[in-house]
Amino acid sequence: MFDSKKYIAALASLYFCFIPLSSAQMTKQQFNLVHQSAAIEIDGELTEAAWQQATHIPLIYRNEPVGDLTPPVKTDAYIFEDGESLYVAFIAHDPDPTKIRAALRDRDDLWADDNVALMIDTFNDERTGYEFYVNPFGAQGDMAMSDVNGWAEDASWNAIWDSAAKITTEGYVVEMRIPFSALRFPKGGAQQTWSIAVWRNYPREVLYQMANVGFDLDVACSLCQFDKLVGLSNIPETKNIQIVPSLTALRHDEKPILPSAWQAGEVDKELGVDLRWGFTQDAVINATINPDFSTVEADTIQLDINSNDSLYYDEKRPFFLDGASFFKTNHFNLLYTRNIAAPDYGVKLTGKSDNHSYGILLTDDENTNLIIPSNQGSSLANLDEKSKVAALSYQLDIGEQNNLAIMSTHRETQSYHNTVLSIGGGYWFNPSDSLQYQVSYSDTENSNELQQYFSLDKHQQGAAYKLELSRENRDYHLYGSLENVATDFRADLGYEPEVDYKNITLGGGQTWYGDNQDILTSWEYETEWDKTFAQNGDLLEEEFELIFLVKGQMRSYARLGLTHTDEFYFDDFFKQNSAYIQAGFYPSQNIKLTLFTEYGSEIDYHHARLGDSFTFEPDLTWDVNNHLQIVLSHKFNYLELDGERLFTANVTDLRLYYKFNMQSMLKLILQYENIDKDQQLYQREISEVNKDYGTQLVYSYKLNAQTLFYLGYSDTGYQDDDLKSLQRNQRTFFTKFSYAWQL
């Protein structure tokens, strides 16, 4: 039986046996931000006199590879403000500019390139901030980041700002103009202090990372080590209003049965408008009427042939992405906005005042999609009713790093509702050691349809909690957690596909470092043990994993994992052993190769029996030239039972991107899935031939994240036992135009 008190005591004694705790002395530089009025043309050339008077911030530390702190190349950053915008310039020296890795990129697709970045914590709370990246061709990338429970970045956040770059005989130069309207910071006219880091990624045989800050790896937080930027004051109040009208038009044709003739659909035209109003410097209202929530790039195919959990897809819709970090909690995912499939309207308020952060979301949904969880997998449910949706969040920052967060979500129809209330946060004993916790409670009333189809009670109430202790040091890390999720706990607006379990986890690892010229620049191991029980005390799973990781030249890495799992599934235990290898390297400046392969025993979840599984997943990214990029990925997987092949699955995803210039791009996506099944090994009638494909061709023109134009075509098709070949069954012609008006 599972005794939580015994495991908590064991966890604490194991963890605290490593006391005494470390402490670090951090020396921070302070830079005075220059204010000047100057006409600056963002063109990648620092010819204006204002740059001579700007605040100079040299990048004097090397943080990657770990070891010698001396940067291999010289980099200087310059920064000033004119009351409306922040201006940033970089001079990135390079002894051989022909080795610069960069190309024309789509937004947020430059992470493997040479690039420079500004990282700023505008509230100086050492918890959240923004990152702005530019590569040597002027391509942009931006992220929101948090450092509450480890460094976390959200590349889905987008701002409207300007950048330009130019490669020279001595390296490259970058210019940025970031309007204050793109940022959130404390209101009022008093002088402000921001935390700041200027950064350079320099990928050669190894990846070098340089900054104005030399990070102490015995300190778990990074934002708390940033330098300070002072002098910003009296920023004039602006309307800070952004209005984005959008027009979408599409025609969807289909063949209800195959083979048959196309049935042409009507042209569906929709006019919508989004409003973003920063009514103060630290608070934003988002509103939308008849919104365009369409996505224009196909999701990557996920193999769903032998899984008992619902698939997870990333959010891509702008309304939900702005301010999304205000609704994230440290353990449970209580707001998964892809559950909100077809809203008519949306209103959202997010902001931060002193040490208080808050968020409110109100919307509706024509489709009510739910995940029905258990400890043996999850199922999808759809209620044919319109629902109302609400989410509320609040966080209180306490001291230097501690915090307390409250969040609630609610979804209801005429016959159903689900409400969740959660309290969580973190407490730091010192810069390396922390305790993270979260407690949630849900109340659900199920409709008659849900009760009958999923055998649910009319009323369900349940709690969930998780405690986690962790230590992060330069050379080693330790962690342990205790998690308990009740049978009737439901987070219907979130993504929590498993309930009815209690789990204890212990893990840790150690790292060694070489020199940047060594074949191996670092090597490490990590081990983890966890044990999971059902709420009635029955053992569900016990797992032990050992991982070895090495990094070396050609920006290479290789991870070897060994796993032993004893898993309970449908009244029986299945002992599974597997080994996997995950590796990647750059054989040349413009080619990246990665591979994942795994072999071992695996449960056939359709029939509750043990088989042998093999997975092979190679990926290729090739910058053919500065304009054309090819991304090819393939997944091969099979499951054998006593030497007989239950299924063989092949999935191929090919993406071609051609950038005419920084604003204009043509994108072609080809996806193909082929799953062969052996009818004799299945206990129900199935199709032995299962082929699906999809294509998408999209032309895009983007001035910024909100002013854009799309024109595209997509289709899908399939083949089963009743068809002799692949045939198309759906096709769509679509266009979209939106324009961001800044007031």
Side-chain angles (χ1 to χ4, degrees), residues 398-597:
I398 304 171
E400 293 185 357
Q401 286 184 269
N402 307 324
N403 66 86
L404 176 67
I406 300 173
M407 183 168 175
S408 180
T409 64
H410 179 76
R411 187 172 204 172
E412 69 173 33
T413 70
Q414 291 184 345
S415 61
Y416 145 91
H417 81 254
N418 172 256
T419 304
V420 178
L421 177 63
S422 176
I423 300 176
Y427 179 81
W428 289 82
F429 304 98
N430 58 57
S432 299
D433 303 285
S434 68
L435 169 66
Q436 304 292 324
Y437 59 91
Q438 186 171 354
V439 180
S440 301
Y441 176 81
S442 71
D443 178 86
T444 307
E445 180 179 340
N446 294 305
S447 66
N448 291 332
E449 179 183 355
L450 291 174
Q451 295 175 56
Q452 295 171 7
Y453 193 82
F454 294 98
S455 300
L456 300 174
D457 294 334
K458 182 175 180 58
H459 295 282
Q460 288 182 280
Q461 295 178 331
Y465 70 81
K466 184 172 183 178
L467 304 173
E468 183 175 17
L469 280 168
S470 65
R471 163 173 284 192
E472 292 288 340
N473 277 337
R474 176 184 185 275
D475 300 321
Y476 73 94
H477 64 279
L478 297 167
Y479 59 91
S481 66
L482 182 67
E483 187 171 3
N484 189 316
V485 181
T487 304
D488 287 335
F489 178 78
R490 292 250 301 275
D492 289 357
L493 266 179
Y495 185 83
E496 291 297 325
E498 189 176 357
V499 297
D500 185 17
Y501 68 90
K502 307 173 185 179
N503 173 269
I504 177 78
T505 298
L506 297 173
Q510 192 166 5
T511 304
W512 294 266
Y513 303 96
D515 189 74
N516 60 299
Q517 300 298 327
D518 294 340
I519 295 177
L520 298 181
T521 56
S522 69
W523 54 98
E524 63 185 88
Y525 76 87
E526 181 170 337
T527 183
E528 180 179 285
W529 168 85
D530 70 88
K531 201 167 187 177
T532 305
F533 298 84
Q535 287 294 334
N536 62 9
D538 292 342
L539 179 65
L540 292 175
E541 180 185 270
E542 184 172 14
E543 183 175 76
F544 177 80
E545 185 173 14
L546 180 62
I547 299 173
F548 300 95
L549 172 64
V550 296
K551 297 180 181 179
Q553 300 298 311
M554 301 175 71
R555 282 178 283 164
S556 61
Y557 68 91
R559 179 181 286 106
L560 170 64
L562 304 172
T563 305
H564 171 74
T565 306
D566 194 8
E567 181 178 352
F568 178 79
Y569 185 71
F570 271 83
D571 301 323
D572 201 358
F573 279 94
F574 298 89
K575 294 185 181 296
Q576 304 165 76
N577 296 290
S578 65
Y580 70 84
I581 296 175
Q582 185 179 23
F585 74 110
Y586 286 81
S588 71
Q589 182 177 344
N590 298 318
I591 295 178
K592 179 183 179 182
L593 297 174
T594 63
L595 171 68
F596 176 83
T597 184

Side-chain angles (χ1 to χ4, degrees), residues 246-314:
S246 63
L247 173 65
T248 60
L250 64 86
R251 195 190 82 187
H252 182 71
D253 305 336
E254 62 180 359
K255 297 179 180 180
I257 59 173
L258 291 177
S260 66
W262 284 107
Q263 293 188 5
E266 297 182 355
V267 176
D268 184 11
K269 297 176 293 217
E270 292 206 3
L271 180 65
V273 60
D274 290 341
L275 169 68
R276 186 183 191 275
W277 177 27
F279 62 96
T280 66
Q281 295 167 338
D282 56 10
V284 172
I285 289 179
N286 297 88
T288 184
I289 301 173
N290 194 23
D292 167 37
F293 284 101
S294 61
T295 58
V296 296
E297 180 167 321
D299 289 309
T300 300
I301 293 179
Q302 299 185 49
L303 195 57
D304 193 26
I305 183 61
N306 189 43
S307 173
N308 57 348
D309 279 332
S310 303
L311 298 180
Y312 184 92
Y313 294 99
D314 292 332

Side-chain angles (χ1 to χ4, degrees), residues 137-410:
F137 281 84
Q140 293 183 353
D142 47 20
M143 294 189 282
M145 46 89 164
S146 65
D147 200 9
V148 176
N149 183 24
W151 187 271
E153 297 173 321
D154 182 6
S156 62
W157 178 79
N158 290 315
I160 296 178
W161 51 291
D162 300 314
S163 65
K166 184 168 291 187
I167 297 176
T168 69
T169 57
E170 297 180 348
Y172 65 96
V173 177
V174 164
E175 279 186 298
M176 307 180 191
R177 176 168 51 214
I178 304 169
F180 288 132
S181 60
L183 306 173
R184 303 187 189 201
F185 47 88
K187 62 182 178 180
Q191 180 171 291
Q192 299 189 25
T193 298
W194 292 0
S195 300
I196 183 172
V198 285
W199 194 268
R200 180 179 179 183
N201 288 310
Y202 181 65
R204 295 301 180 264
E205 285 301 304
V206 298
L207 172 62
Y208 295 94
Q209 294 182 322
M210 295 156 284
N212 58 306
V213 181
F215 290 99
D216 183 349
L217 298 184
D218 285 327
V219 178
C221 68
S222 297
L223 274 173
C224 65
Q225 301 184 64
F226 277 23
D227 289 337
K228 301 301 179 180
L229 186 69
V230 299
L232 185 68
S233 61
N234 299 317
I235 298 176
E237 292 285 345
T238 63
K239 296 180 180 178
N240 198 2
I241 296 176
Q242 179 178 297
I243 302 175
V244 186
S246 63
L247 173 65
T248 60
L250 64 86
R251 195 190 82 187
H252 182 71
D253 305 336
E254 62 180 359
K255 297 179 180 180
I257 59 173
L258 291 177
S260 66
W262 284 107
Q263 293 188 5
E266 297 182 355
V267 176
D268 184 11
K269 297 176 293 217
E270 292 206 3
L271 180 65
V273 60
D274 290 341
L275 169 68
R276 186 183 191 275
W277 177 27
F279 62 96
T280 66
Q281 295 167 338
D282 56 10
V284 172
I285 289 179
N286 297 88
T288 184
I289 301 173
N290 194 23
D292 167 37
F293 284 101
S294 61
T295 58
V296 296
E297 180 167 321
D299 289 309
T300 300
I301 293 179
Q302 299 185 49
L303 195 57
D304 193 26
I305 183 61
N306 189 43
S307 173
N308 57 348
D309 279 332
S310 303
L311 298 180
Y312 184 92
Y313 294 99
D314 292 332
E315 181 61 83
K316 299 178 180 180
R317 300 169 294 180
F319 172 79
F320 290 118
L321 292 176
D322 193 13
S325 61
F326 286 83
F327 299 93
K328 291 182 179 179
T329 60
N330 54 356
H331 287 305
F332 300 116
N333 185 343
L334 302 182
L335 183 60
Y336 172 49
T337 52
R338 293 263 315 224
N339 281 335
I340 306 171
D344 291 323
Y345 69 88
V347 179
K348 180 164 54 177
L349 167 65
T350 52
K352 182 176 177 67
S353 177
D354 295 325
N355 56 345
H356 306 277
S357 302
Y358 51 89
I360 302 172
L361 170 67
L362 300 173
T363 184
D364 68 345
D365 195 358
E366 291 291 337
N367 297 319
T368 304
N369 299 314
L370 313 172
I371 296 175
I372 306 299
S374 74
N375 63 22
Q376 298 288 282
S378 60
S379 302
L380 289 175
N382 178 267
L383 296 177
D384 190 19
E385 297 181 71
K386 186 172 182 177
S387 59
K388 296 180 180 179
V389 173
L392 172 68
S393 68
Y394 169 77
Q395 178 174 303
L396 174 65
D397 297 337
I398 304 171
E400 293 185 357
Q401 286 184 269
N402 307 324
N403 66 86
L404 176 67
I406 300 173
M407 183 168 175
S408 180
T409 64
H410 179 76

